Amino acid sequence: MNLPKACIAALVIALLMPGCSMSGASSGNDGSGAGASGGGAGGPDPEGELGGDDPGNGPTADVNVIITADNAYGFGYGTGDRLLNYFGGIENLTADEIFSCPIGNGPEAYTVPARSANAGHYLYIVTYADMAVTQGVLGQFFREGAEPVFTGAGEWEVCATGEDYDLGSHGPEIETINQHIASCSRGGLDEQTTSTGWVTTADSAHGKVVFGEANDTDRTTPLPGNEFPLVCDIDEEARWMWYEWDPDRSTGSPFLWPGGDQNVTKDFLIFRLGAEFIPEPPR
């Protein structure tokens, strides 16, 4: 069964609509560098859980999420070695599916139950892009009564796995993601094809997390520093985020595809933010 992106807008995947398949696809290409809509990455069970225990001592408020990517993403919560739940598994084909209103046509909205948001010690975002035009992920995570969490702000880490996925593939399965999370935590990966392990925003020979433009400036032509148009209903404090694969960069932008057909960006990418950096509501 193929369903449009709107089928999952404003819903927790399979939790609130267990019959809503993630295998939907749309066709067409406007040259934006986006990829096919829909597709699951080994999605969650009917309660959005992949296993593991709810710590039971975290905040009790649900988390509201609005997120998009150029081109594909999923997100979830987990330990230092694996995901405990996973939401999304979206691939975007057209520019409208990345940027435009209403929610569900462009970015997607989710409500993550508190028990799922309290699982593990990390917030994870899994993402990959096609080899065209622009690339990045943008989102916000709001828990009632707490300060919001944005992409492009805070102590994010990234691991570039070097395992490339084309749009339409539906991305890595959960087991594959978990294998890479564990490998990234061990470190010592191939420095030619990966980031060798987790890297932060600090300069390193293996690349770094890079924060780009805020969601407050429109654009007509993608240029370094203004790669993306405005995104529907995501706060202007959110910033685009990606992996800087070129530690010696002097020109261009990590948010712009440099050309060619090789996986120079070393994606798919796994971003994570430690729970100690996620604000809690007042008790």
Side-chain angles (χ1 to χ4, degrees):
M1 177 175 63
N2 292 331
L3 295 172
K5 286 174 51 166
C7 179
I8 58 169
L11 299 171
V12 175
I13 299 305
L15 175 67
L16 300 183
M17 287 185 64
C20 184
S21 169
M22 292 301 299
S23 60
S26 66
S27 60
N29 193 337
D30 65 355
S32 69
S37 159
D45 74 11
E47 292 192 355
E49 294 297 321
L50 297 169
D53 298 324
D54 178 359
N57 56 0
T60 57
D62 296 344
V63 175
N64 295 310
V65 180
I66 306 177
I67 188 170
T68 191
D70 188 350
N71 295 93
Y73 75 85
F75 71 93
Y77 298 83
T79 68
D81 294 320
R82 66 188 180 101
L83 291 166
L84 297 177
N85 52 55
Y86 193 65
F87 305 93
I90 296 295
E91 293 179 325
N92 296 311
L93 177 60
T94 67
D96 280 349
E97 289 176 328
I98 301 170
F99 308 111
S100 298
C101 288
I103 292 291
N105 177 56
E108 285 75 38
Y110 305 84
T111 299
V112 180
R115 67 181 293 267
S116 294
N118 292 340
H121 308 290
Y122 290 94
L123 164 63
Y124 284 95
I125 299 175
V126 176
T127 182
Y128 55 99
D130 61 6
M131 296 179 179
V133 193
T134 53
Q135 54 208 9
V137 62
L138 181 77
Q140 60 191 37
F141 299 77
F142 286 87
R143 197 191 293 268
E144 185 175 354
E147 292 296 317
V149 172
F150 297 111
T151 57
E155 303 297 323
W156 288 93
E157 301 176 305
V158 68
C159 184
T161 70
E163 185 170 317
D164 191 24
Y165 284 86
D166 294 329
L167 296 171
S169 68
H170 308 319
E173 297 288 337
I174 294 297
E175 293 79 6
T176 300
I177 296 170
N178 285 339
Q179 289 168 7
H180 282 289
I181 289 174
S183 296
C184 291
S185 295
R186 289 194 300 269
L189 305 178
D190 185 347
E191 64 182 22
Q192 298 301 315
T193 59
T194 77
S195 60
T196 74
W198 299 106
V199 294
T200 67
T201 55
D203 292 337
S204 87
H206 306 299
K208 64 179 181 179
V209 178
V210 61
F211 298 159
E213 66 175 309
N215 191 38
D216 62 358
T217 305
D218 211 351
R219 71 111 225 254
T220 52
T221 301
L223 296 170
N226 187 201
E227 296 89 355
F228 302 99
L230 292 172
V231 176
C232 175
D233 284 348
I234 291 183
D235 197 280
E236 65 181 19
E237 292 182 54
R239 306 183 76 91
W240 286 89
M241 185 167 69
W242 201 243
Y243 170 63
E244 172 57 272
W245 71 90
D246 181 2
D248 300 317
R249 180 178 302 281
S250 59
T251 61
S253 164
F255 298 98
L256 294 173
W257 177 249
D261 58 1
Q262 301 300 308
N263 186 20
V264 296
T265 61
K266 303 179 181 179
D267 66 6
F268 76 95
L269 307 177
I270 306 173
F271 290 92
R272 73 180 186 182
L273 183 67
E276 67 268 29
F277 302 114
I278 301 175
E280 296 186 6
R283 294 179 182 272

